[in-house]
Amino acid sequence: MVIRKLENFDLDSIAESGQCFRMNRDKDGTYKIVAYGKVLSARDLGEGEFSFDCEEGEFNEVWKDYFDLEENYKKYIDSIPDTDEFLMKAAEVGGGIRILRQEPFETLISFIISQRKSIPAIKKSVESLCSLCGEPLEGGFYAFPRAEDLIGLSIDELNSCSLGYRSQYVHSAAQMVGGGEIDLERIGEMNDEDLLMELKSIKGVGTKVANCVMLFAYHRIGSFPIDVWIKRVIDEIYEGEFPLERYEGFAGVIQQYMFYYGRNFMKKW
DNA sequence: GCGCAGGTAATCT
DNA sequence: AGATTACCTGCG
């Protein structure tokens, strides 16, 4: 068991930030996170303390980076001008969000699946896919499938995970990655622009999904994915013009505050 | 019963 | 280039 006192860290907001689809809250408030072929229980102990149910070694090797704990997020929050009431509020409410470092393949497939789906529906599809061909883990969980695991699946099998027209996209992406046509590790060495192009060369990956993979897997925190919620915020709060240049190099962090606040606190709009 | 959901690709102007 | 439309499926 690992206990840490952490600033700008909040399990609830991370789980609701839309970055990941395999982080779920139990009735007793414990979060179960499945990633990197491991299951982690994490818990808010209050007073800024958190417990993580794993060995010190695993924590340092996997979860510290996963949750981006080395980074101090205060500097991002402090970059917001006092005059921007909306962002000041959004960062106050969502200040515990971290930009996760998720596995590229899982992130790619998950966000391909995400298009025109609600979050519960995305989670359901992802879980079906994992139990269909992912490696079994402790506690009845399954690892996210590797490309090799997905390659063999027929379109019908993919359809059984309620993927609909996205089955072709997932199938094709699995072939590209598993067949070596696209090397997710190698493209991680590229600059932002080239990485974006590589990702968009995958069927079913457009600008939004590519930016999500950039931000949530490759940790390119300058990426700024624009989905319906961000668009809504920009239209309704910023009259269509958001000053992106002000946050050059870390706009993705700001995007998360905007998304989280827009989606969870402006629902009635 | 039906519109819509964290979009993309194809097909128009 | 920019606008429009079909697309699977489940949920509200």
Side-chain angles (χ1 to χ4, degrees), chain A residues 126-139:
Chain A
V126 168
E127 285 316 314
S128 313
L129 196 58
C130 292
S131 49
L132 181 63
C133 63
E135 189 192 330
L137 305 173
E138 55 180 286

Side-chain angles (χ1 to χ4, degrees), chain A residues 17-33:
Chain A
S17 71
Q19 297 180 53
C20 57
F21 303 107
R22 307 196 72 200
M23 173 169 183
N24 293 299
R25 189 190 167 102
D26 289 345
K27 279 138 286 180
D28 70 345
T30 305
Y31 277 96
K32 289 272 199 312
I33 300 133

Side-chain angles (χ1 to χ4, degrees), chain A residues 103-122:
Chain A
E103 292 182 274
F105 187 66
E106 170 172 349
T107 311
L108 173 67
I109 299 297
S110 298
F111 278 92
I112 287 176
I113 292 173
S114 79
Q115 56 188 91
R116 278 195 80 74
K117 265 183 182 290
S118 64
I119 290 179
I122 300 166

Side-chain angles (χ1 to χ4, degrees), chain A residues 62-118:
Chain A
V62 180
W63 304 111
K64 194 177 61 176
D65 286 335
Y66 180 82
F67 289 116
D68 197 25
L69 298 180
E70 302 277 79
E71 198 60 67
N72 179 2
Y73 277 61
K74 192 168 180 301
K75 60 172 180 279
Y76 304 132
I77 297 171
D78 287 345
S79 77
I80 298 167
D82 296 340
T83 50
D84 190 331
E85 275 182 54
F86 174 82
L87 260 185
M88 287 297 282
K89 186 80 190 148
E92 187 188 319
V93 173
I97 297 176
R98 297 283 168 154
I99 306 291
L100 304 177
R101 279 191 187 76
Q102 304 183 74
E103 292 182 274
F105 187 66
E106 170 172 349
T107 311
L108 173 67
I109 299 297
S110 298
F111 278 92
I112 287 176
I113 292 173
S114 79
Q115 56 188 91
R116 278 195 80 74
K117 265 183 182 290
S118 64

